[in-house]
Amino acid sequence: LISPLKECLMWGSAIAKIVGKNAEKAEKFSKTVKMWVFEEMVNGRKLTDIINQEHENIKYLPGYKLPKNVVAVPDLKEAVDGADLLVFVVPHQFIRKLCDTITGHVPQKALGISLIKGIDEGPEGLKLISDIIREKMKIDVSVLMGANIANEVAAEQFCETTIGTKNLQNGYIFKELLQTSNFRITVVEDADTVELCGALKNVVAVGAGFCDGMQCGDNTKAAVIRLGLMEMIAFAKLFCKGVVSTTTFLESCGVADLITTCYGGRNRKVAEAFVKTGKTIEALEMEMLNGQKLQGPQTSGEVHHILKQKQMVDRFPLFSAVYQICYEGKPVKELLTCLQSHPEHM
C-alpha cells in the first residue's frame, strides 16, 4: 500500500513506481500494489481512473509511467484491506485521522514504513509520526528518509536513502521491497534519529532560503547548513528516547538530505521569496503552492513550542530565529546576527 494525499502524491507515485516493479519480480510480495489516492477531478475525469487506465499520475508525476500492477484506489479502507505492508506518504498533520480510519482494517501482523517528514507535539513534548502510527495501529513501523527528490527518483537517477528501524529484520523486508540499482538503501537501527533528520532539515532549509533571498552567498549558506546540522544533532541527543549514533547523520538521511534540501526544494524556494517579496508564509503558500502547507515553517513552530516547554529556546538559536522570522515578525537580517553569535560547541 502507498498512501499519498495531495502534496505527497508526487513522492507517493515515485515510490509506487518502485514498489510496483519490485513486487512484480519478487515471489514473496503480492503482485498487486494498491495505492490510495485522494480523489479529485482532472480535465473532467477522476484522477484514479486516469491512473488506472493510462498508468500515469498526469497531475503530480507527469511523464513517468507507473507499472500496470499499481492500482489507484479512492477508498482508504478498501486500499488497506488485507495489506501486510503499509507505506505511509501523507502530510504529517493528517496521520492521526488516517490511522483512526484504517485501524481494525489491517492484519495484526502488518508492518509499516513511514516516509513522512514532520514531527508532532504531544502533551509531554516531542511526538514522532512513527510513534503515532505504532500507538494507534499496534504495528511495527520503520522510517525511510534521504536525499530523494521525487522526480529524480522517478527518472531512475541514482540516489541513496536510509531506512531507520527498531527491528532489523523488518527493516530489511522493506529494503527488499524498495531498493533498486539506482535507489540504494542503508538500514540502520536508529529509527528515531533518522526520522528527526527528515523533519529538522526542512527548518534549516528555510534558513538557507533566507540567505538566498538576502543574496548572502555560498559561504554564509554553508554556515547555515553546518550550524543547522549541529542543532539537529543536539536536538536528537536531547529528545530521542534511545542512544543517538552520530554516524547516522553521515547517512543519506542526514547530511546528504540536508544539503539537497538547502539547495533545492520548496522550503528554500518559498523562504527566498519571503525575503524578496515581503509577503507572509501563508500568502506565499497560496500563491506558489496552491495553498499546500510548507513543512519547514510548520516544523519550526512545533520545534519552538517543544523547546519553549523545556526552557531550551536559547540553546537552539538557528531553529528559534527561523520560527521568529516566519511567525513573529523578526527582521530576516537577524538570521545573520544568530550566525555571528552562535556557540562554537553545543
Side-chain angles (χ1 to χ4, degrees), residues 9-10 13 47 51 55-62 64 66:
L9 267 166
M10 186 176 186
S13 295
L47 182 57
I51 292 172
H55 309 292
E56 182 181 347
N57 186 340
I58 64 170
K59 182 170 183 179
Y60 294 99
L61 196 67
Y64 299 101
L66 298 173

Side-chain angles (χ1 to χ4, degrees), residues 1 9 61 68 78 90 92 127 150 169 174 179-180 187 189 192 210 217 236 247-248 270 277 285 301 310 315 345:
L1 166 75
L9 267 166
L61 196 67
K68 293 181 179 180
E78 180 185 342
V90 298
H92 74 278
K127 194 78 169 177
Q169 181 179 355
F174 281 108
Q179 181 166 262
T180 72
V187 180
E189 206 168 10
D192 291 354
F210 291 158
T247 59
T248 300
V270 173
T277 67
E285 286 171 338
K310 301 293 184 181
R315 295 180 61 177
H345 303 285

Side-chain angles (χ1 to χ4, degrees), residues 148-308:
N148 310 137
I149 297 173
N151 59 350
E152 294 183 12
V153 173
E156 300 183 13
Q157 296 180 19
F158 180 83
C159 68
E160 299 176 312
T161 197
T162 311
I163 287 178
T165 186
K166 297 178 183 295
N167 182 312
L168 281 175
Q169 181 179 355
N170 294 343
Y172 281 108
I173 289 173
F174 281 108
K175 178 177 180 176
E176 186 175 353
L177 179 69
L178 294 165
Q179 181 166 262
T180 72
S181 59
N182 286 316
F183 191 66
R184 304 300 294 173
I185 297 174
T186 300
V187 180
V188 298
E189 206 168 10
D190 193 4
D192 291 354
T193 304
V194 171
E195 186 168 1
L196 266 183
C197 283
L200 297 177
K201 56 94 179 182
N202 285 324
V203 180
V204 183
V206 173
F210 291 158
C211 283
D212 291 341
M214 291 186 287
Q215 298 181 313
C216 292
D218 286 337
N219 292 338
T220 306
K221 192 169 177 177
V224 169
I225 294 171
R226 187 186 75 85
L227 296 172
L229 180 61
M230 285 177 57
E231 293 195 11
M232 288 169 61
I233 294 170
F235 191 94
K237 287 182 176 179
L238 278 171
F239 291 101
C240 284
K241 294 183 286 294
V243 176
V244 172
S245 173
T246 305
T247 59
T248 300
F249 291 90
L250 300 179
E251 299 290 349
S252 181
C253 64
V255 66
D257 197 10
L258 179 61
I259 292 170
T260 298
T261 310
C262 286
Y263 278 90
R266 53 186 166 185
N267 285 285
R268 187 218 61 79
K269 183 178 180 180
V270 173
E272 180 182 14
F274 175 87
V275 178
K276 291 183 174 179
T277 67
K279 297 178 181 179
T280 65
I281 293 293
E282 291 83 358
L284 290 168
E285 286 171 338
M286 291 300 298
E287 183 179 311
M288 300 174 69
L289 306 176
N290 295 319
Q292 297 170 15
K293 292 294 182 183
L294 278 180
Q295 293 289 3
Q298 190 168 353
T299 301
S300 78
E302 290 156 348
V303 167
H304 182 78
H305 295 151
I306 291 166
L307 293 174
K308 189 174 181 180

Side-chain angles (χ1 to χ4, degrees), residues 18 32 52 67 102 287:
I18 291 175
T32 300
N52 291 333
I102 64 176
E287 183 179 311

